């Protein structure tokens, strides 16, 4: 390393001496260091430590020191994360790609063993458990066995990867959710490599990697493509961001939870506009937030649009490290290092300088939900009844949903006024000896789920106390509600059991169904057949209430159109109420055995009750015991076969793990970039198209192209599993791209699903079939979209599938950060309409032929390119901004993608 600023120093902690790159030493000659936001200080240290005169130059450090908080970001730096975190949905394709790269490197004359993680990586298997069994003490065992039955090929592949790749750890299934495991176990806060000490930093293949920001660790979600490059030692190229300071004061009032707080913060920051920015929390209110409260807020950074939601290290961080059983020497080192480096938060310190600020008095937070379609649409509990009624009218007036057509699309009637009898519609449900009426707004799913909330003992204990009081008053959940409890770690069930609260949760249907993401990512499992039939028969708009972080339409369950995010206690309350269209402040949840009404306020836990249970029942030894053997797994895991050898033996009959085509016949040098000529539009899309729309993770519809492929390969519908579970097979995933049943492709107005029109013949067909037809004809494809294209999960297959469908460019009003980067990483050109323009304003119908020029000649970041769209009405010409944002990204695009770039560098090296 160069160390041109002379910052290399030593730090003595106890009997040990460490090397570090001192920010304090730098501050003596550059006082601006002292007022930088804490998160930028971490980036600054990263630059100092990696200065090599090539990738990180002195001028990069100087640019950070000269940071202008108000300036539009235009300075590119290289960030080297200390480690990488993966979950299995995105982790399996990453390991598949690494295995394929080993073979490709060998075929190019290189050493396949060079394809190894250069940075430590942990993959936590948490995305595959589905709630098939519920409301029974056998639910966990039955779901775990089904999980292994469905995913045996994937899991055996990961066991091979764990032994074949150095520095690659796998946390087996049924241990917990990756972000909660990261928070409670994996994160170091201060990293040690040899004698050098530095901040723990990471990137992860899941948007909610930001949860670790609550512990003072800088990290965020990237696409699987970027993560693979980071595994191989490539830096993450980024622009020095603006940092928005969020000042917190006061204290949460009685009755308000951290969930209510994060929904409020999400709404405020979405309104503020923080996409692509860091958010850093400061102010006197921080001392009144527990570490799990902070982690809850940090977790939802993707929902409020920020790259990170950062809380600096302070005494609460150390308390949490001790409480979760981290070694004493790590806690001591973290304290000493943070204080030495100016990374320690003090109540009396001068505030950092921020690009912008906003404030929240915690005492103003009220009980809330968010929905029915977006996490930023907060609804105060007192307004839920009126909010639901308004949303119901909007959904029904948008047109009645019909059954799936042959392409998985949903035909829709034209919008019309909603007659009163339609609003009051109900269906009689018969389930064995039971018979009941179910109408619009029925809560058919109530799920305590997701790391966002199950990492926080306060809200879990609160749910347990509410359940206890409900049982004591004789309340029961409504018969149509599918209830579930899916903690993010086994510690949760241990402290709920120790507190005597688990039996009460089970008494109202909240049995443990698994230790994974479940409902939050769409693994809610099927509704009971009588309930599902009633929803279809009555075309009912029913609801899910979940303690998750995402509630996009079509994500939670295909039968459920309304999805509300809520705290775990409110999830239990809505299971008891059975309807979202109630005023829980004034309408009873039910009646006790004596016929007396029981209101929410009668069973709501007090803060004192919650804190007393935490004090007596949540203990450090629970964390130590649960994580002592976390990597070993249970008998199901240990019985899996482990493949041998440094290269994987692909099974051509596998429908889970297939060798991807990305490196087939890869030339040693990339071809010159080309303009795009004669392209047709594959999809014309509106605003807020999510990665769930582009690459769904949930059920594989029985009439979809992916289903046809699976059945042709001997897989019965009952064994389809989900798209997420089959991400190791490109044949399934390319057929699943743009296959979400709620996708609205405006080329086929009035239809929902993965359907398009083959423009030359005007023939309607699935997007996959049209793509194959276009590719056989040699016709390139483009996608036209609105604002916030690619919002949602950091899903690499949303870019991989787009590329494999033959799409050369996506033209949108704006892009979500990770998806834009992923498109570049797969060699797809992200292009942005000029301000004030979009497909509609330009009069584009999607039936034109498109020529895009300026790609072949002097392509550069943010270059303006010319688009000509030729249709029946003549030719329209307009300019777009090339959203290749950095020189590194330009290299990736020229090579056809980031992995191809890395592979060629390794072959040369």
């Amino acid at each position: 390393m160069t160390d041109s600023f002379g910052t290399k120093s030593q730090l003595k902690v106890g009997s040990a001496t460490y090397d570090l790159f001192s920010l304090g030493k730098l501050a003596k000659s550059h006082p601006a260091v002292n007022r930088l936001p804490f998160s930028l200080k971490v980036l600054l240290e990263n630059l100092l430590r990696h200065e090599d005169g090539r990738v990180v130059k002195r001028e990069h450090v100087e640019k950070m020191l000269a940071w202008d908080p108000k300036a539009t970001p235009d300075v590119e730096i290289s960030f080297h994360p200390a480690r990488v975190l993966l979950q299995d949905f995105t982790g399996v394709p990453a390991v598949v790609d690494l295995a394929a790269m080993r073979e490709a490197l060998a075929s190019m004359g290189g050493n396949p063993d060079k394809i190894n993680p250069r940075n430590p990586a942990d993959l936590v298997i948490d995305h595959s458990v589905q709630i098939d069994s519920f409301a029974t003490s056998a639910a966990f065992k039955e779901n775990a066995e089904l999980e292994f039955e469905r995913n045996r090929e994937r899991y055996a592949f990961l066991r091979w990867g764990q032994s074949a790749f150095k520095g690659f750890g796998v946390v087996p299934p049924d241990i917990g959710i990756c972000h909660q495991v990261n928070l409670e176990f994996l994160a170091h806060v201060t990293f040690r490599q040899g004698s050098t000490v530095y901040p723990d930093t990471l990137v992860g293949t899941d948007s909610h990697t930001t949860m670790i920001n609550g512990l003072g660790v800088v990290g965020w979600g990237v696409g699987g493509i970027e993560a693979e490059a980071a595994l191989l030692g490539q830096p993450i190229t980024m622009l020095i961001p603006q940092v928005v300071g969020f000042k917190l004061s006061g204290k949460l009032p009685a009755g308000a939870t951290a969930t209510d707080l994060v929904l409020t913060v999400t709404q405020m920051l979405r309104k503020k506009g923080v996409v692509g920015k860091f958010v850093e929390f400061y102010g006197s209110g921080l001392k009144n937030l527990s570490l799990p409260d902070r982690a809850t807020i940090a977790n939802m950074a993707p929902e409020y649009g920020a790259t990170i939601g950062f809380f600096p290290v302070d005494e609460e961080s150390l308390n949490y490290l001790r409480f979760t059983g981290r070694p004493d020497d790590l806690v001591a080192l973290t304290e000493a290092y943070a204080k030495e480096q100016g990374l320690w938060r003090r109540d009396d310190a001068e505030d950092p300088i921020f690009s912008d600020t906003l404030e929240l008095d915690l005492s103003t937070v009220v009980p809330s939900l968010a929905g029915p379609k977006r996490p930023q649409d907060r609804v105060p509990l007192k307004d839920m009844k009126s909010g639901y009624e308004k949303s119901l009218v909007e959904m029904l007036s948008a047109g009645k949903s019909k059954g799936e057509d042959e392409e998985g699309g949903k035909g829709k009637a034209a919008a019309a006024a909603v007659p009163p009898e339609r609003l009051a519609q109900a269906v009689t449900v018969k389930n064995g000896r039971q018979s009941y009426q179910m109408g619009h707004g029925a809560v058919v799913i109530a799920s305590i789920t997701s790391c966002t909330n199950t990492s926080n003992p306060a809200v879990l204990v609160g749910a347990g106390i509410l359940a206890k009081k409900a049982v004591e008053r004789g309340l029961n959940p409504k018969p149509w509600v599918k209830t579930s409890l899916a903690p993010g770690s086994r510690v949760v069930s241990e402290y709920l059991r120790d507190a005597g609260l688990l039996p009460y949760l089970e008494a109202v249907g909240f049995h443990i169904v698994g230790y994974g993401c479940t409902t939050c990512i769409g693994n809610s499992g099927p509704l009971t057949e009588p309930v599902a039939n009633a929803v279809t028969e009555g075309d009912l708009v029913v609801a899910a209430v979940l303690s998750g972080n995402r509630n996009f339409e079509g994500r939670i369950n295909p039968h459920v159109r309304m999805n509300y995010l809520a705290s775990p206690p409110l999830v239990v309350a809505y299971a008891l109420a059975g309807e979202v269209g109630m005023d829980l402040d004034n309408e009873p949840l039910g009646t006790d055995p004596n016929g007396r009404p029981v209101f929410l306020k009668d069973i709501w836990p007090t803060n004192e009750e919650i804190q007393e249970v935490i004090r007596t029942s949540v203990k450090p030894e629970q964390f130590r015991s649960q994580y002592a053997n976390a990597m070993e797994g249970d008998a199901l895991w240990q019985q899996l076969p482990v493949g041998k050898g440094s290269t994987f033996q692909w099974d051509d009959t596998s429908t889970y793990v297939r060798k991807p085509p990305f490196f087939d016949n890869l030339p040693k040098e990339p071809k010159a970039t080309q303009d795009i000529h004669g392209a047709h539009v594959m999809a014309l899309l509106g605003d807020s198209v999510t990665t769930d729309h582009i690459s769904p993770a949930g059920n594989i519809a029985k009439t979809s192209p992916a289903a046809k492929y699976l059945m042709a390969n001997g897989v019965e519908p009952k064994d389809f599993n989900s798209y997420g579970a089959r991400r190791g097979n490109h044949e399934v995933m390319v057929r699943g791209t743009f296959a979400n049943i709620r996708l609205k492709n405006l080329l086929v107005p009035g239809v929902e699903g993965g359907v398009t029109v083959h423009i030359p013949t005007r023939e309607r067909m699935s997007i996959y079939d049209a793509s194959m037809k276009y590719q056989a004809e040699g016709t390139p494809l483009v996608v036209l979209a609105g604002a916030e294209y690619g919002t949602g999960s950091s899903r690499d297959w949303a870019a991989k599938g787009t590329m494999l469908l033959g799409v050369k460019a996506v033209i949108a009003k704006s892009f979500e950060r990770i998806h834009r980067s992923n498109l570049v990483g797969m060699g797809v050109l992200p292009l942005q309409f000029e301000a004030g323009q979009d497909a509609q304003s330009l009069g584009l119908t999607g039936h034109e032929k498109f020529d895009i020029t300026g790609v072949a000649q002097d392509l550069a970041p943010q270059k303006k390119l010319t688009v000509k769209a030729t249709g029946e009405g003549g030719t329209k010409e307009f300019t777009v901004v090339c959203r290749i944002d950095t020189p590194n990204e330009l290299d990736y695009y020229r090579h056809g993608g980031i992995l191809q770039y890395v592979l060629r560098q390794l072959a040369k090296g």
Side-chain angles (χ1 to χ4, degrees):
M1 291 300 133
T2 305
D3 191 24
S4 66
F5 289 86
T7 60
K8 193 168 184 179
S9 303
Q10 290 192 320
L11 173 68
K12 189 172 178 61
V13 183
S15 60
T17 301
Y18 299 95
D19 296 323
L20 79 162
F21 290 80
S22 172
L23 296 177
K25 205 169 181 180
L26 184 64
K28 290 177 181 177
S29 55
H30 298 81
V33 171
N34 295 320
R35 295 293 302 282
L36 281 175
F38 288 95
S39 50
L40 290 193
K41 288 182 181 180
V42 174
L43 295 187
L44 176 59
E45 186 280 339
N46 198 277
L47 292 173
L48 291 172
R49 184 162 36 87
H50 288 96
E51 185 191 359
D52 60 359
R54 186 177 63 85
V55 176
V56 178
K57 302 177 182 179
R58 180 184 175 90
E59 65 196 62
H60 294 132
V61 179
E62 290 172 339
K63 291 284 189 181
M64 182 68 84
L65 292 169
W67 178 66
D68 180 353
K70 300 294 185 183
T72 300
D74 63 355
V75 177
E76 178 195 292
I77 60 170
S78 293
F79 169 62
H80 292 77
R83 58 192 177 95
V84 178
L85 179 70
L86 307 102
Q87 39 92 334
D88 60 300
F89 268 18
T90 49
V92 167
V95 182
V96 166
D97 288 348
L98 292 179
M101 287 178 76
R102 278 195 166 180
E103 288 190 28
L105 187 57
S107 69
M108 296 170 77
N111 179 2
D113 288 339
K114 280 186 177 181
I115 305 293
N116 246 329
R118 303 289 181 91
N119 293 312
D122 292 291
L123 186 151
V124 181
I125 300 176
D126 62 359
H127 271 53
S128 297
V129 61
Q130 177 176 297
I131 306 171
D132 291 282
S133 179
F134 67 99
T136 166
S137 57
F140 168 66
K141 182 175 183 291
E142 291 173 0
N143 290 329
E145 288 173 351
L146 279 169
E147 176 189 0
F148 269 84
E149 184 182 318
R150 291 169 176 149
N151 297 285
R152 185 170 299 277
E153 286 182 52
R154 298 170 66 239
Y155 291 175
F157 173 68
L158 289 175
R159 286 210 74 189
W160 168 81
Q162 188 173 23
S163 62
F165 294 110
K166 296 176 182 176
F168 177 66
V170 175
V171 177
D174 307 317
I175 299 298
I177 301 173
C178 64
H179 308 305
Q180 193 161 336
V181 173
N182 192 25
L183 185 74
E184 296 176 351
F185 175 56
L186 296 173
H188 301 262
V189 184
T190 304
F191 218 84
R192 289 172 283 195
Q193 187 174 44
S195 63
T196 303
V197 61
Y198 48 93
D200 181 10
T201 56
L202 76 153
V203 292
T205 59
D206 189 277
S207 307
H208 298 99
T209 299
T210 54
M211 185 171 188
I212 205 61
N213 302 160
L215 191 56
V217 175
V218 169
W220 58 85
V222 296
I225 301 152
E226 278 186 295
E228 290 171 46
L231 280 174
L232 295 168
Q234 293 295 304
I236 300 296
T237 302
M238 61 182 294
L239 299 173
I240 300 176
Q242 292 187 336
V243 184
V244 175
F246 198 126
K247 189 171 187 177
L248 299 174
S249 61
K251 186 177 181 180
L252 285 174
T257 67
T259 314
D260 305 317
L261 171 57
V262 73
L263 296 180
T264 303
V265 167
T266 298
Q267 183 185 45
M268 292 176 67
L269 285 169
R270 267 292 170 189
K271 185 177 179 182
K272 183 79 172 176
V274 293
V275 172
K277 301 176 183 179
F278 282 12
V279 170
E280 187 165 303
F281 295 89
Y282 72 109
S284 60
L286 265 64
K287 66 177 180 291
N288 296 319
L289 292 178
S290 69
L291 198 291
D293 289 348
R294 299 175 186 186
T296 296
I297 296 169
N299 177 284
M300 286 189 70
E303 281 65 53
Y304 46 80
T307 304
I308 66 173
F310 189 72
F311 290 82
V313 176
D314 62 7
E315 195 63 47
E316 178 62 17
S317 313
L318 301 184
N319 291 339
Y320 186 79
L321 290 175
R322 293 188 192 98
F323 191 72
T324 50
R326 265 54 170 235
D328 290 340
D329 64 333
L330 176 63
V331 179
L333 177 60
T334 296
E335 180 175 10
Y337 181 79
K339 288 179 175 178
E340 173 71 19
Q341 290 285 65
L343 296 172
W344 181 266
R345 187 193 73 82
R346 302 193 326 268
D347 286 337
D348 60 350
E350 193 173 12
D351 292 337
I353 295 172
F354 294 111
S355 304
D356 199 355
T357 60
L358 69 167
E359 299 185 28
L360 174 65
D361 179 349
L362 298 176
S363 68
T364 64
V365 173
V366 298
S368 301
L369 296 88
K373 291 184 180 182
R374 301 190 306 175
Q376 64 262 41
D377 295 334
R378 184 178 67 90
V379 185
L381 181 62
K382 64 181 179 61
D383 297 334
M384 263 298 289
K385 184 171 185 174
S386 59
Y388 154 76
E389 290 170 349
K390 181 171 181 276
S391 295
L392 177 63
V393 170
E394 289 173 353
M395 287 184 174
L396 292 178
S397 64
K400 180 179 176 180
S401 296
K402 300 290 185 184
E404 286 193 12
D405 65 19
E406 67 276 7
E407 300 297 349
K410 293 263 184 175
K412 300 199 79 178
V418 183
E421 61 270 19
R422 178 75 173 109
L423 291 170
Q425 185 163 341
V427 177
T428 300
V429 183
K430 292 184 178 180
N431 188 5
R433 295 181 179 180
Q434 274 189 320
S435 180
Y436 47 83
Q437 290 285 105
M438 194 177 82
H440 296 304
V443 176
V444 296
I445 292 175
S447 184
I448 298 175
T449 179
S450 172
C451 52
T452 309
N453 286 291
T454 69
S455 60
N456 195 330
V459 291
L460 269 294
V461 167
I465 295 173
L466 188 143
K468 180 175 184 289
K469 293 182 177 183
V471 171
E472 290 169 346
R473 293 295 299 270
L475 298 183
N476 292 295
K478 296 299 184 282
W480 54 82
V481 185
K482 181 174 185 176
T483 47
S484 58
L485 169 58
S489 84
R490 288 178 174 254
V491 175
V492 173
S493 49
E494 194 165 337
Y495 67 65
L496 288 175
R497 197 174 284 112
D498 282 5
L501 295 175
L502 197 54
Y504 291 102
L505 284 162
E506 292 174 344
V508 290
F510 287 88
H511 295 73
I512 289 173
V513 295
Y515 297 91
C517 302
T518 63
T519 305
C520 189
I521 59 150
N523 286 0
S524 58
L527 302 179
T528 61
E529 192 171 335
V531 171
N533 289 342
V535 173
T536 304
E537 178 190 334
D539 196 31
L540 299 178
V541 176
V542 293
V545 181
L546 64 149
S547 63
N549 47 45
R550 293 263 164 88
N551 57 342
F552 305 129
E553 187 178 5
R555 178 185 178 93
I556 303 305
N557 185 284
H559 286 96
V560 179
R561 295 184 63 190
M562 286 186 166
N563 301 296
Y564 288 95
L565 307 180
S567 66
L570 280 179
V571 172
V572 178
Y574 274 100
L576 301 171
E579 300 175 34
V580 289
M582 290 176 60
D583 177 359
L584 295 192
D585 281 346
N586 299 297
E587 295 180 58
L589 297 170
T591 55
D592 67 16
N594 297 316
R596 292 175 299 195
V598 180
F599 292 87
L600 181 60
K601 63 186 176 184
D602 298 332
I603 60 173
W604 193 262
T606 67
N607 289 351
E608 293 73 23
E609 289 171 327
I610 292 170
Q611 291 307 314
E612 177 59 19
V613 170
I614 291 173
R615 186 184 68 78
T616 58
S617 300
V618 188
K619 305 163 188 172
E621 50 265 34
Q622 294 164 343
F623 293 88
R624 292 193 192 100
S625 66
Q626 288 298 331
Y627 285 114
N629 303 303
M631 298 290 191
E632 295 179 10
D634 59 14
L636 289 171
W637 177 257
Q638 292 173 3
Q639 289 165 10
L640 289 171
V642 182
K644 305 294 183 184
S646 62
T647 55
F648 186 67
Q649 301 303 306
W650 305 99
D651 178 359
D652 290 339
T653 65
S654 174
T655 56
Y656 275 100
V657 178
R658 299 292 297 270
K659 182 182 175 182
F662 308 131
F663 313 110
D664 290 351
N665 305 312
L666 186 73
K668 288 191 175 182
E669 295 297 330
K671 298 176 182 177
T673 55
Q674 299 290 321
D675 291 336
I676 299 168
H677 291 291
H680 274 303
V681 174
M682 186 181 71
L684 174 61
L685 307 170
D687 293 340
S688 300
V689 170
T690 71
T691 50
D692 278 319
H693 288 116
I694 304 167
S695 183
N699 295 332
I700 298 172
K702 294 177 184 178
T703 55
S704 66
K708 293 173 185 175
Y709 164 83
L710 289 171
M711 287 188 286
N713 282 274
V715 181
E716 296 180 24
K718 68 181 180 65
D719 298 319
F720 278 177
N721 210 326
S722 65
Y723 282 112
R726 292 194 180 268
R727 283 181 182 162
N729 183 348
H730 62 280
E731 298 285 7
V732 172
M733 296 310 297
V734 68
R735 288 165 171 81
T737 305
F738 294 104
N740 189 300
I741 61 170
R742 297 298 181 194
L743 182 76
K744 296 179 178 69
N745 183 0
L746 301 178
L747 288 178
V748 280
V751 173
E752 289 185 348
V755 186
T756 192
V757 171
H758 178 253
I759 302 297
T761 62
R762 301 299 173 100
E763 184 184 354
R764 200 188 94 171
M765 61 184 69
S766 75
I767 282 178
Y768 172 77
D769 288 341
S771 161
M772 295 301 102
K773 196 172 179 70
Y774 279 124
Q775 290 192 55
E777 296 164 353
T779 303
L781 297 172
V782 296
V783 170
L784 302 181
E788 298 180 339
Y789 182 76
T791 192
S793 303
S794 56
R795 196 160 289 171
D796 61 334
W797 264 108
K800 288 178 176 177
T802 298
M803 184 275 286
L804 289 177
L805 285 175
V807 174
K808 303 301 181 185
V810 176
I811 310 176
K813 285 182 71 175
S814 63
F815 291 90
E816 190 274 341
R817 176 183 63 85
I818 297 174
H819 186 61
R820 182 205 61 79
S821 172
N822 278 349
L823 288 172
V824 177
M826 289 309 299
V828 178
L829 203 56
L831 305 176
Q832 191 161 313
F833 288 108
E834 297 273 22
Q837 292 186 343
D838 59 16
Q840 186 176 6
S841 70
L842 291 166
L844 302 175
T845 66
H847 289 262
E848 303 87 354
K849 271 195 172 184
F850 285 76
D851 296 303
I852 303 170
T853 55
V855 181
Q857 189 74 26
D858 300 323
L859 185 64
Q862 301 278 323
K863 181 184 178 183
K864 291 193 176 181
L865 306 180
T866 300
V867 181
K868 290 182 180 177
T870 303
E872 292 178 357
T875 298
K876 298 182 175 73
E877 183 173 313
F878 56 98
T879 58
V880 292
V881 179
C882 172
R883 286 300 313 276
I884 292 175
D885 286 353
T886 68
N888 268 18
E889 287 187 344
L890 185 57
D891 284 339
Y892 302 154
Y893 178 73
R894 283 176 171 154
H895 280 261
I898 190 170
L899 299 180
Q900 291 85 342
Y901 170 81
V902 171
L903 190 59
R904 288 188 175 111
Q905 302 314 302
L906 289 171
K908 288 179 181 177

